[in-house]
Amino acid sequence: MGLYPFETIEKKWQNVWREKKAFKTDDEKGNKKMYILEMFPYPSGNLHMGHVRNYTIGDVVARYYRMKSYNVLHPMGWDAFGMPAENAAIKYGVHPYEWTIKNIENMKRQLNSLGISYDWDREIATCFPDYYKWNQWLFLQFYKKGLVYKNKSKVNWCPECKTVLANEQAEEGRCWRCKSEVELKELEQWFFKITNYAEELSRDLDMLDGWPQKVKVMQRNWIGLSEGVMIRFKLAEKVEGYKDDFIEVFTTRADTLGGATFLVVSAEHPIVKSILESKDNNELKEFIKEYERERVQNRFTVGVTEKKGVALGIQVINPLTNEKIQVYASNYVLMGYGTGAVMGVPAHDSRDFEFAKEKNLPIKYVIKPESNGFYEEDKAYEEEGIVVNSPHISGLRSSDAKKKIVEMFQKEQMASFSKQIRLRDWLISRQRYWGTPIPIIYCEKCGIVPLREEDLPVILPTNVEFTGTGGSPLSNIDEFIKTKCPICGSDARRETDTMDTFVDSSWYYLRFCDPKNNNEPFSLEKAKFWMSVDQYIGGVEHAVLHLLYSRFFIKVLRDLGFLNIDEPFSNLLTQGMVLKDGEKMSKSKGNIVDPEEIISTYGADTARLFILFAAPPEKDLEWSDQGVEGAHRFLARIWKLFNENLDSIKNVEASIGSDLTEDEVNIYKKLNKTLLKAGNDIENKFHFNTSIAALMEFTNDFSYSLRNKKLRPELIKKIFETFTIILSVFAPHISEEIWSKMGHTDLVCFQSWPEVDPDYLEDDICTIAIQVNGKLRDKIMVEKDLEEEAITDKVMSSLRVKKFIEGKQILKKIYVKNKIFNIVVK
């Protein structure tokens, strides 16, 4: 019998799956589809344990739904453009293409060694022209729709290397290569008008019932849609060079206007520029320098810990109190949100309170709580309430006071209701080589000219030299830059910027629907069938940008007539991190666990089983060498148990039989309980850890029964078959081998998921499957001896359906032995 020979078994079945194309998707196979997708990786060279967890989770779901007779699409590809390849070219002298292709080959080998059930016939890589051609085509469609424009924006600039740096290359404000201090430099760059869809992107988050709440909150905060009031504060004196006689602010708390004792503007506000040009203000100049330095070091930091600011030497008039108040430039006001100016109400805003304390500015309370009329005067009271100490609006509730402010000042155009967003348009220009060339031509006669669709793709040239200085290598290739204008035929030059790699990943899931299409990025017919993605799986670090940009793309493509859906991903799972010694695995911390070492020592099935068993997928997972060994022992025990009983079951037909003994009934009931739990756990929140725990518990019971009870061979084989099918979604290699040794000529991965036998469920439980619009929402188990009304109450309570079913129907099928109750609740 020997030890469990995982090396031989795993290679054997990986070869069989590959030869049989076992996981190839057939577009024509039935209408019950399931599109399961893990976020495709950047080909960095080697898989890490986070990858292993992500892809194994997706693989369990894909294998399960294939067995449930769904037409499953489970593809994989490569997010292959990006800065690391270009950095490698500069550092090691290897071309980004060669570096990328080598890494893809290695990572694909590693994925196959894990037994992940991908349809490799649909493999894509974003660095190939047959993919990025469609990036360029989509750019042109966005351009025609008026969603693309060019404008100035600041970038990280190394004055020594004379090149633009990515945020990752500006390490603590210094160039990653020469360590020079990074500056901000204005360049003309390309933008997508994502702000045109800001309201819809925010509103439609309410549609995404299958997304984690925390992700929706993160997106909603990033979009920052706010309803409030625009208020104009007149300048006490005209400022030379500034076009207006007022500073306009946006506020969601117009009711606190009477408490505005100063005004704060961003360091980038136009009035600051006018003051710098007209007055000699050294303090302001130093502040601007410090502000620019902070921006380089904290480009993506949300919020500022220390509130800094400097007086501009000007005053504005509070329109409600007619009092003159000072104007400051500060680092806690952003030009990108609202108007770049806020009214300082320190009594009712914590940031303003902190700033006022620092500058010794007046703090005037103008809102009191409705309940007890008491607030603490050593901190800001930020709730709404009753207005006090404010001309014309004292005594009003906050909501009424906001309306009154607009009524009072609307006629003089001093106040108006307004919606504002924090979201800025998407800057897609990158001054780098390894990316999609932007299909734009500059002609002295015709100006900016988009390329003709028939001239796509603009091929990225390969004859480039990487020095890390002097800007993008594309700017030095005459045969790339020099071209003819498609309108007038005159000499013209190509755009040398490439696209942000987020463009590549914003629609790749659509290409998987139709990856061989040479005439269009995807056919509407195939997209209609497969989209939206039924289950998307990936790290929470992509919760904002990637997911937001993908949602934006879908809405634009819908409006262009290429799609008939509103959202790309119906359900989202953000898996937790893999930790070791309480910290995220990283080379710098020296706590990396190499997946290849685990696979070579214990096998892929062990790696899969441990990473699924150690924690629920949404939680962080603490690596445990003992846990890995435990998973391996469990598989070895199954192998031993099966081989010990193989001779007795090899030549018999699997069946339940009739007139089961009490011992046989008991073990078969336990099998059905395990089957029920595994199906529930996979479909309901992916609690694979409890499914595997149930398999382990059953193995103990079954092993005991085989040693100490009299079980007929037909039932033993039936149990082994059912158990092996359940195990196969978690540990597919050993399951295929056991299935084969039982005499089956077809693959276990082609089997149907076993049906629970209601006559052999444990007496104290039943299952309730709850569906919404044809999709499974939840499964719970309840006690069988409850009355129907009590069961219904338990279901309602479990789902808190009063909130969930608004405007929908829920079909509850309650299986109680042979009785089925169908109840529709509106």
Side-chain angles (χ1 to χ4, degrees), residues 242-433:
Y242 183 62
K243 65 175 183 175
D244 297 315
D245 63 352
F246 59 84
I247 298 176
E248 191 167 42
V249 307
F250 172 77
T251 179
T252 59
R253 293 298 306 274
D255 53 316
T256 66
L257 178 59
T261 58
F262 59 95
L263 194 139
V264 189
V265 300
S266 165
E268 298 174 275
H269 195 280
I271 201 165
V272 175
K273 185 177 180 181
S274 296
I275 289 171
L276 281 172
E277 290 174 351
S278 62
K279 295 181 181 180
D280 191 16
N281 190 327
N282 290 328
E283 185 183 7
L284 181 57
K285 288 178 182 177
E286 285 302 315
F287 171 75
I288 297 297
K289 284 183 181 179
E290 177 63 23
Y291 172 80
E292 295 281 1
R293 199 173 295 117
E294 279 186 359
R295 278 196 65 198
V296 171
Q297 293 174 352
N298 305 294
R299 290 296 297 276
F300 288 107
T301 300
V302 179
V304 180
T305 52
E306 184 182 357
K307 309 295 183 292
K308 301 175 184 176
V310 58
L312 296 181
I314 61 173
Q315 293 179 314
V316 291
I317 299 169
N318 184 321
L320 188 65
T321 65
N322 286 319
E323 295 172 344
K324 291 182 179 180
I325 58 177
Q326 293 289 331
V327 182
Y328 291 81
S330 177
N331 62 346
Y332 77 89
V333 179
L334 302 176
M335 195 62 211
Y337 179 64
T339 64
V342 299
M343 60 185 197
V345 187
H348 304 291
D349 183 281
S350 56
R351 298 180 310 163
D352 295 343
F353 185 88
E354 185 181 334
F355 190 78
K357 285 288 188 181
E358 172 69 24
K359 300 295 183 183
N360 198 27
L361 297 170
I363 299 174
K364 181 181 176 183
Y365 286 86
V366 293
I367 303 291
K368 69 175 183 177
E370 284 194 57
S371 55
N372 54 25
F374 173 78
Y375 48 77
E376 301 175 53
E377 295 197 6
D378 60 345
K379 64 179 182 179
Y381 175 71
E382 297 185 293
E383 304 300 319
E384 295 191 350
I386 302 297
V387 180
V388 296
N389 303 325
S390 300
H392 312 294
I393 59 172
S394 287
L396 296 177
R397 287 187 173 89
S398 289
S399 56
D400 296 328
K402 292 174 186 178
K403 295 174 186 175
K404 181 73 171 178
I405 290 291
V406 176
E407 289 173 7
M408 288 172 59
F409 298 114
Q410 197 167 26
K411 189 174 181 181
E412 295 84 8
Q413 296 185 327
M414 296 292 291
S416 60
F417 290 115
S418 177
K419 288 182 180 179
Q420 290 291 309
I421 55 169
R422 182 175 288 107
L423 180 68
R424 298 296 91 193
D425 280 335
W426 176 7
L427 193 164
I428 67 156
S429 285
R430 295 295 180 269
Q431 294 74 41
R432 296 198 291 275
Y433 163 73

Side-chain angles (χ1 to χ4, degrees), residues 63-125:
R63 287 177 178 273
Y64 173 78
Y65 278 104
R66 284 194 197 97
M67 289 180 162
K68 295 287 283 186
S69 301
Y70 282 80
N71 190 3
V72 171
L73 175 57
H74 188 216
M76 179 47 66
W78 312 97
D79 193 7
F81 273 141
M83 189 183 64
E86 201 157 340
N87 287 348
I90 297 168
K91 192 172 182 179
Y92 303 117
V94 58
H95 195 282
Y97 179 85
E98 295 174 11
W99 187 84
T100 301
I101 296 303
K102 181 180 178 182
N103 289 346
I104 287 174
E105 290 172 353
N106 187 53
M107 292 177 74
K108 185 174 179 179
R109 177 188 60 79
Q110 291 178 314
L111 283 172
N112 283 326
S113 73
L114 281 164
I116 309 295
S117 60
Y118 291 132
D119 177 2
W120 285 112
D121 284 352
R122 292 178 184 253
E123 180 182 12
I124 60 174

Side-chain angles (χ1 to χ4, degrees), residues 646-694:
L646 178 57
D647 289 342
S648 67
I649 64 172
K650 201 167 191 179
N651 299 314
V652 302
E653 288 293 323
S655 68
I656 304 170
S658 58
D659 300 323
L660 297 184
T661 66
E662 184 179 353
D663 290 334
E664 288 174 330
V665 168
N666 287 338
I667 193 63
Y668 192 57
K669 278 186 174 182
K670 288 176 181 176
L671 176 69
N672 272 270
K673 179 181 178 181
T674 303
L675 172 61
L676 176 64
K677 181 159 185 57
N680 284 346
D681 287 347
I682 292 171
E683 292 188 24
N684 181 23
K685 299 182 180 178
F686 308 144
H687 285 172
F688 310 127
N689 56 320
T690 54
S691 299
I692 294 168

Side-chain angles (χ1 to χ4, degrees), residues 500-551:
D500 179 8
T501 55
F502 274 119
V503 174
D504 307 347
S505 59
S506 291
W507 71 279
Y508 77 103
Y509 46 88
L510 290 164
R511 186 64 177 171
F512 279 138
C513 299
D514 196 12
K516 308 300 182 186
N517 194 330
N518 295 321
N519 300 315
E520 52 190 345
F522 53 88
S523 77
L524 176 59
E525 181 185 0
K526 290 186 178 180
K528 276 184 176 179
F529 178 72
W530 287 114
M531 290 298 294
S532 59
V533 175
D534 296 283
Q535 185 62 62
Y536 200 34
I537 304 167
V540 74
E541 66 271 19
H542 301 295
V544 177
L545 295 181
H546 163 58
L547 293 175
L548 186 66
Y549 294 154
S550 296
R551 296 179 62 224

